[in-house]
Amino acid sequence: MKYGLIGEHLGHSFSKQIQTRIAEIENVKDYDYQLVELDKEEFKEFMEKKDFTGINVTIPYKKDVIPYLDEMDESAKAIGAVNTIINVDGKLKGYNTDFGGFLYMVKAHNVHMEGKKVLIIGNGGACAAVKAVCEHENAKAIVIVSRSSDRGAIGYDEMYTSHLDADIVVNTSPVGMFPNITNAPIDVSWFHKLECVLDVVYNPILTRLCFEAQEADIKRVIGLEMLIAQAKYTFEIFENMSFDDSIIDEIKKEMLKDRCNIVLIGMPSAGKTTIGKMLEEKLGKEFFDLDDMIIAKAGKSIPEIFQESGEAGFRAIETEVAIEASKMNNKIIATGGGTIKHKVNMDFLRLNGITIFIDRDVDKLISSDPNRPLSSSKLALQQMHKERYPLYQKYAAYVAVNNTNIEETVDDIVNAYHSILIDAVAD
Ligand SMILES: Nc1ncnc2c1ncn2[C@@H]1O[C@H](COP(=O)(O)OP(=O)(O)OP(=O)(O)O)[C@@H](O)[C@H]1O
Ligand SMILES: O=C(O)C1=C[C@@H](O)[C@@H](O)[C@H](O)C1
Ligand SMILES: [Mg+2]
């Protein structure tokens, strides 16, 4: 094997995709990067055999590789963990590009740590590199919080009693990571001086921690950038090359475009399904209707669900389905009429999704279609519009007015998606 990533479970890893894309952009031919899952026994054999030119190392082997190395660079030594190894004529040298990856993320977002109290959540491999960056950036105090208060970490109780004055929080724990996207390691509202939250978790795009920081107007930095930056620094070591850091932002935006969902909200008959299907073609994202997912899950029609379990029964299934949809990537998701009435649905759908309000005048929503009983009365529609309009506005990252040609509405959404909307997620 030439290059690759070793670790115990790699199903989640984007490293092959990122490494291959860097090779493409930098015009490096025949760049081969494999994902190699190893259990403890296989790991030992793999390291002894040394049948590779360069590897990345991930959980749980970043410390375990150290005894096999002939040499380590200074920052890897200081951190005590290695995520990159090169094999030169049978001699193995270890590096830690997570350090550079996290430093890049801190600098790119103007996070100033000097004189600040930084709280690091999680005490595993990623914590070591993050802590080294905080020291490098002259943080005034660095507090590590972990479920088990050992190896220099404090427990959550002590964090809540003594460290709610943290200026910066970095999550290096897996809390909030797919598939457990509804979890957050802390409640940001308890931290009265908090100015910035950084998360190294990159799936979902916005962890619940980052989402809640964003809602509270606290600067938040998403994890994808660190992964891409460390991959870039790894590539430079593997290929003995050096190129501009701007490739990190370029790949980040490409990956966000690929991974973000578009969540369509709006009144009944506003055009969500029609526009969603048109966007499916234009953006190459598969279309899903939450109502169809509800019907599939319940094995019944929506009127049947209402008849048998009432509105509460329906809303429970709707939220279950909204959480399932929130875990998906690269989809167009049309919501049902009442989905926006429950904040929980919208909060989860926005972890991987950009919300677009399809805004169509009430006059145009009137329908004689017998399948749309709520849309036949102008008065009923006006009442519903009045109630829901502030919610559509509140949850929308973008308002697409759909009063003229529907093709124009679709083009408007595509343009906004490629420019301002992805930029807003990336920042
Ligand atoms: N800009 C437009 N010009 C002309 N017709 C439109 C326009 N936008 C939507 N329509 C029409 O309005 C009707 C309702 O659209 P659609 O079914 O996509 O709405 P919806 O938002 O998905 O509704 P629901 O909430 O009931 O699922 C369709 O017949 C569609 O062709
Ligand atoms: O998930 C991944 O692909 C990786 C995660 C980090 O541990 C990195 O240090 C590693 O190089 C790759
Ligand atoms: Mg529809």
Side-chain angles (χ1 to χ4, degrees):
M1 180 177 86
K2 194 168 183 194
Y3 302 129
L5 168 68
I6 63 164
E8 200 165 27
H9 305 289
L10 300 177
H12 66 281
S13 177
F14 298 160
S15 285
K16 185 178 167 70
Q17 183 191 343
I18 298 169
Q19 292 285 340
T20 307
R21 185 69 186 120
I22 298 174
E24 222 171 73
I25 296 171
E26 293 303 321
N27 224 347
V28 173
K29 302 276 178 253
D30 303 320
Y31 190 85
D32 174 46
Y33 188 99
Q34 306 291 333
L35 300 183
V36 185
E37 282 194 358
L38 302 171
D39 64 26
K40 297 262 157 44
E41 261 313 298
E42 292 166 332
F43 164 73
K44 192 169 170 282
E45 235 172 81
F46 182 91
M47 290 309 295
E48 282 166 357
K49 211 163 159 203
K50 304 185 196 179
D51 186 17
F52 58 81
T53 308
I55 48 168
N56 274 137
V57 183
T58 192
I59 303 167
Y61 300 127
K62 288 187 185 186
K63 287 186 197 318
D64 299 350
V65 292
I66 293 175
Y68 297 93
L69 303 178
D70 299 287
E71 209 186 326
M72 265 165 93
D73 103 318
E74 285 312 311
S75 76
K77 254 190 229 162
I79 296 163
V82 163
N83 83 322
T84 302
I85 301 173
I86 49 164
N87 179 356
V88 182
D89 302 327
K91 296 253 179 271
L92 302 187
K93 179 168 182 183
Y95 300 82
N96 190 308
T97 65
D98 291 329
F99 177 89
F102 187 66
L103 185 60
Y104 173 87
M105 178 157 141
V106 164
K107 298 277 187 207
H109 293 272
N110 295 314
V111 179
H112 301 293
M113 293 191 167
E114 186 156 1
K116 301 283 169 65
K117 182 183 217 174
V118 184
L119 197 73
I120 302 175
I121 300 164
N123 199 13
C127 166
V130 165
K131 179 168 173 268
V133 170
C134 298
E135 282 162 1
H136 179 268
E137 292 295 288
N138 301 317
K140 180 181 73 187
I142 301 166
V143 181
I144 300 170
V145 185
S146 177
R147 268 179 316 181
S148 50
S149 47
D150 58 357
R151 293 179 291 129
I154 60 161
Y156 277 86
D157 290 359
E158 191 177 337
M159 171 183 82
Y160 288 126
T161 50
S162 308
H163 299 290
L164 294 179
D165 60 346
D167 301 291
I168 296 168
V169 167
V170 188
N171 177 48
T172 70
S173 82
V175 178
M177 195 198 291
F178 175 91
N180 303 312
I181 65 164
T182 58
N183 298 341
I186 57 161
D187 182 337
V188 291
S189 70
W190 291 343
F191 291 79
H192 54 273
K193 284 174 68 190
L194 196 55
E195 56 187 60
C196 182
V197 166
L198 302 101
D199 206 325
V200 309
V201 173
Y202 53 81
N203 184 6
I205 293 166
L206 270 185
T207 56
R208 182 153 163 234
L209 174 67
C210 277
F211 176 79
E212 285 180 353
Q214 179 177 290
E215 289 287 285
D217 274 333
I218 295 166
K219 186 203 283 250
R220 53 86 182 144
V221 184
I222 62 173
L224 188 58
E225 198 152 31
M226 176 175 173
L227 184 76
I228 300 168
Q230 65 80 34
K232 187 250 180 189
Y233 301 136
T234 290
F235 192 103
E236 289 178 318
I237 293 170
F238 283 174
E239 288 288 316
N240 195 20
M241 297 170 67
S242 163
F243 42 92
D244 201 85
D245 272 351
S246 57
I247 194 172
I248 298 167
D249 204 47
E250 183 183 340
I251 294 179
K252 179 179 159 193
K253 292 213 177 116
E254 283 177 7
M255 290 183 75
L256 286 176
K257 273 182 201 171
D258 278 352
R259 295 189 61 74
C260 274
N261 298 323
I262 292 185
V263 178
L264 302 175
I265 59 175
M267 291 282 286
S269 297
K272 299 182 294 293
T273 300
T274 315
I275 289 170
K277 289 186 174 159
M278 289 164 81
L279 287 171
E280 179 172 46
E281 300 253 310
K282 292 232 173 188
L283 291 172
K285 292 178 184 284
E286 197 182 350
F287 175 77
F288 279 83
D289 209 308
L290 277 196
D291 279 348
D292 293 341
M293 291 175 71
I294 292 170
I295 294 163
K297 182 154 202 97
K300 294 172 197 150
S301 71
I302 290 177
E304 278 168 348
I305 303 171
F306 267 85
Q307 214 167 26
E308 289 172 26
S309 330
E311 178 164 359
F314 174 79
R315 294 289 166 218
I317 305 175
E318 182 176 54
T319 297
E320 248 182 86
V321 162
I323 292 173
E324 270 169 38
S326 304
K327 295 181 191 181
M328 306 194 298
N329 288 102
N330 201 21
K331 304 285 186 284
I332 311 275
I333 302 165
T335 56
T339 310
I340 46 105
K341 293 202 312 194
H342 292 265
K343 185 171 181 292
V344 59
N345 300 331
M346 296 317 298
D347 284 2
F348 290 139
L349 283 166
R350 286 182 292 166
L351 299 183
N352 274 318
I354 294 173
T355 321
I356 296 181
F357 169 28
I358 308 296
D359 187 3
R360 189 155 166 83
D361 283 350
V362 189
D363 293 352
K364 297 190 166 67
L365 299 177
I366 298 167
S367 165
S368 52
D369 183 342
N371 294 319
R372 298 179 185 272
L374 290 176
S375 303
S376 58
S377 147
K378 184 166 179 182
L379 206 65
L381 273 174
Q382 277 171 333
Q383 183 56 31
M384 190 193 281
H385 189 261
K386 198 170 148 215
E387 277 167 25
R388 293 187 184 170
Y389 199 78
L391 293 173
Y392 294 132
Q393 289 279 3
K394 173 176 154 187
Y395 293 126
Y398 189 72
V399 180
V401 176
N402 181 37
N403 286 328
T404 54
N405 186 335
I406 199 159
E407 260 91 29
E408 278 172 29
T409 313
V410 170
D411 288 342
D412 176 31
I413 294 171
V414 171
N415 287 338
Y417 184 69
H418 284 309
S419 55
I420 48 173
L421 294 170
I422 288 294
D423 284 350
V425 178
D427 276 351

